[in-house]
Amino acid sequence: MLSESGVRYECRIKGKFRLDDIKNTNPVAVGDQVEIETEADSIDANIIAIAPRRNYIIRRSINLSRQTHILAANMDRAFLIVTLAMPRTSLGFIDRFLITAEAYSIPVDIIFNKADLYDTEMLEKVQALQTLYEGLGYPCHILSALTEGAEITRLRTRLKGNVNLFSGHSGTGKSTLINMLDPALKLRTGGLSEAHDKGVHTTTFAEMFELSGGGFVIDSPGIKELGIVDIEKHELSHFFPEMRRLLNKCKFNNCLHLSEPKCAVREAVEKGEIAMSRYDSYLGIMSGEELEKEYE
Ligand code: GDP
Ligand code: ZN
């Protein structure tokens, strides 16, 4: 715990916390603002209260499937690190992440990393994705975490003074990028081979780092279990910005945009105004398709 006066404390939780209505395996999450009780001349402290969260990201616990686990709280922005190859991030995964972030009111930037590995065809593909997602309100960055450049400088400015969540599949270059953005951090890299070693469970807790230039980065571990939580079927389209703006144009106000007549969403898909890949993600989530299927 970092105090307002800049002192770091080792904290324990005192008493029982009942948070919101969710069953949680961890009462305190990275990014939480807490009230502590300290003792003179000691770095040990007790957490006695947790401030209401502005937002948070949740995932199901690995072993206790009915319980959830808050990964991180009070974020200003999430940065989703994706790669089109080595490893490949699917569009379905990107869309699921964006929907979850929409549901939790966290703005997202998408970082397409490992641009140095892309050939012309892949660069065209990634530029088309940039056009698509920026059109929806998600700023995109195409860059290589291995080389200093204008995009890295721009990103550094964007992180300054904020609490920033870095998320993405293991091996996409999160640690490499964080080190490039702030060389003082020296995070361990090479997550890809680690992820392939199935015997080892990576930590389920997110870690928070302070940036030399001001602000914080939360490095969240593999978010494979990050599912769509607490979203009802009839609400799902509210979390697609391009669908949200059409909702009062459907004939039926309880339209699920599946096969109902005079559906403004489906008409927009047919006219190419809504990307097919986005509508496919919508259908996938609607049919209860598991996130796991998006992995190879
Ligand atoms: P993490 O699991 O997301 O933290 O990924 P790491 O930062 O550990 O990176 C995984 C592997 O990808 C490492 O071998 C990195 O050197 C490599 N890597 C990261 N960023 C880039 C990049 O922009 N280009 C290339 N070619 N390799 C990268
Ligand atoms: Zn509709």
Side-chain angles (χ1 to χ4, degrees), residues 59-290:
R59 78 176 200 180
R60 287 185 197 91
S61 290
I62 290 170
N63 300 319
L64 307 156
S65 60
R66 288 193 172 270
Q67 288 204 306
T68 49
H69 176 101
I70 294 182
L71 271 180
N74 301 319
M75 291 145 286
D76 292 300
R77 185 170 288 276
F79 291 83
L80 179 62
I81 326 288
V82 303
T83 44
L84 292 196
M86 292 188 272
R88 186 183 76 89
T89 312
S90 73
L91 295 187
F93 178 81
I94 295 177
D95 291 335
R96 278 166 168 80
F97 185 89
L98 295 175
I99 290 150
T100 310
E102 286 281 340
Y104 293 126
S105 313
I106 305 165
V108 182
D109 275 27
I110 305 173
I111 297 175
F112 294 93
N113 190 28
K114 308 200 184 185
D116 56 298
L117 299 177
Y118 299 169
D119 57 20
T120 324
E121 196 186 318
M122 269 166 95
L123 266 178
E124 277 170 16
K125 210 171 142 188
V126 85
Q127 278 157 356
L129 290 175
Q130 174 175 35
T131 307
L132 165 63
Y133 286 108
E134 287 195 336
L136 301 175
Y138 306 108
C140 294
H141 312 259
I142 304 173
L143 51 82
S144 167
L146 302 180
T147 33
E148 189 68 63
E151 278 299 307
I152 296 282
T153 312
R154 191 162 82 99
L155 203 51
R156 226 175 250 136
T157 316
R158 231 168 140 63
L159 300 181
K160 211 171 172 171
N162 289 336
V163 176
N164 307 289
L165 175 78
F166 273 49
S167 249
H169 290 333
S170 172
T172 51
K174 286 184 301 298
S175 317
T176 309
L177 180 60
I178 294 169
N179 288 342
M180 173 56 94
L181 292 165
D182 186 351
L185 287 174
K186 298 192 177 61
L187 266 65
R188 202 160 55 89
T189 62
L192 193 57
S193 52
E194 221 176 276
H196 282 182
D197 188 358
K198 285 278 156 84
V200 186
H201 248 312
T202 43
T203 169
T204 57
F205 291 90
E207 270 191 282
M208 191 163 185
F209 305 97
E210 194 170 5
L211 295 165
S212 315
F216 298 90
V217 165
I218 297 171
D219 183 15
S220 118
I223 48 164
K224 212 169 175 172
E225 294 82 9
L226 186 75
I228 306 289
V229 277
D230 295 340
I231 299 177
E232 300 284 339
K233 280 195 173 175
H234 69 271
E235 282 180 346
L236 182 59
S237 53
H238 297 228
F239 304 110
F240 283 77
E242 70 272 55
M243 296 186 190
R244 191 161 59 214
R245 60 177 81 109
L246 293 173
L247 295 184
N248 56 13
K249 301 216 164 69
C250 292
K251 183 173 185 216
F252 299 106
N253 64 6
N254 60 350
C255 187
L256 291 178
H257 326 300
L258 298 172
S259 52
E260 295 91 338
K262 297 222 159 64
C263 166
V265 168
R266 280 189 32 241
E267 279 165 18
V269 174
E270 275 151 31
K271 280 191 257 171
E273 289 161 8
I274 288 180
M276 190 52 88
S277 66
R278 294 277 293 169
Y279 188 61
D280 280 345
S281 294
Y282 177 79
L283 293 179
I285 298 164
M286 270 301 206
S287 66
E289 199 174 88
E290 286 296 313

Side-chain angles (χ1 to χ4, degrees), residues 33-50:
Q33 304 220 307
V34 298
E35 197 179 314
I36 57 167
E37 203 176 54
T38 57
E39 284 167 40
D41 303 324
S42 169
I43 57 150
D44 293 327
N46 289 321
I47 293 174
I48 52 170
I50 303 169

